[in-house]
């Protein structure tokens, strides 16, 4: 792959609601509907990571915070055409680094069983007991 086509990564980069919504729709194979990502990120996030290739948003992750020592990694997503090349891992490593540079002492992540190896096998996170309820 030529250097011009390597992904570029950023933290707290300006994004549009449409591009994040389109990325989520493609990755989760659902109908695209624009969500208000800009307001949500500004209100609740410690920060968010982006991955772009040739200007196109191909990866995203969000770190929300309780305003204190705990943060939560959510919305980690890579476009299906770009999965398997380490983009998601790089976004998570970037988020961990940003958390370590701030007041956060604990970074939590919840995930479905099929993506467990992504978070656990690489040694980034350790398994814990947790509960989840759809409301």
């Amino acid at each position: 792959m030529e250097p011009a086509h390597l992904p570029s990564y950023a933290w707290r980069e300006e994004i549009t609601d449409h591009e994040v919504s389109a990325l989520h729709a493609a990755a989760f194979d659902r109908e695209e509907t624009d969500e208000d990502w800009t307001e949500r990120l500004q209100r609740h996030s410690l920060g968010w990571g982006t991955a772009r290739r040739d200007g196109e948003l191909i990866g995203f992750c969000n770190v929300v915070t309780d305003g204190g020592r705990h943060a939560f990694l959510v919305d980690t997503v890579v476009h299906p055409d770009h999965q398997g090349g380490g983009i998601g891992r790089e976004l998570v490593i970037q988020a961990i680094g940003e958390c370590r540079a701030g007041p956060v002492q604990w970074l939590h992540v919840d995930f479905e069983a099929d993506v467990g190896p992504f978070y656990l096998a690489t040694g980034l996170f350790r398994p814990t007991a947790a509960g989840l309820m759809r409301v």
Side-chain angles (χ1 to χ4, degrees):
M1 188 175 298
E2 297 176 16
H5 296 290
L6 292 175
S8 61
Y9 299 91
W11 185 251
R12 294 187 64 90
E13 174 187 54
E14 191 170 314
I15 51 92
T16 67
D17 296 337
H18 177 75
E19 66 183 344
V20 180
S21 295
L23 176 60
H24 274 80
F28 296 112
D29 194 26
R30 65 177 191 219
E31 186 176 329
E32 184 178 330
T33 57
D34 282 350
E35 295 184 37
D36 192 354
W37 285 97
T38 305
E39 191 275 331
R40 182 184 310 163
L41 295 174
Q42 293 300 325
R43 178 177 281 195
H44 302 290
S45 296
L46 175 71
W48 54 94
T50 56
R52 292 184 183 275
R53 182 170 285 144
D54 298 327
E56 177 189 355
L57 184 68
I58 60 169
F60 177 83
C61 74
N62 185 13
V63 177
V64 297
T65 180
D66 69 349
R69 293 178 235 184
H70 294 266
F72 306 84
L73 183 63
V74 296
D75 300 315
T76 303
V77 61
V78 175
H79 192 284
D81 294 344
H82 302 277
Q83 291 176 357
I87 294 168
R89 180 175 167 75
E90 185 61 34
L91 287 167
V92 171
I93 289 171
Q94 177 186 41
I96 292 168
E98 293 294 337
C99 288
R100 286 181 173 151
V104 172
Q105 293 178 1
W106 295 99
L107 180 60
H108 304 258
V109 64
D110 291 325
F111 47 82
E112 305 247 348
D114 62 323
V115 295
F118 172 79
Y119 291 105
L120 300 175
T122 59
L124 295 176
F125 291 87
R126 64 180 172 83
T128 62
L132 178 66
M133 173 198 290
R134 183 179 178 119
V135 295

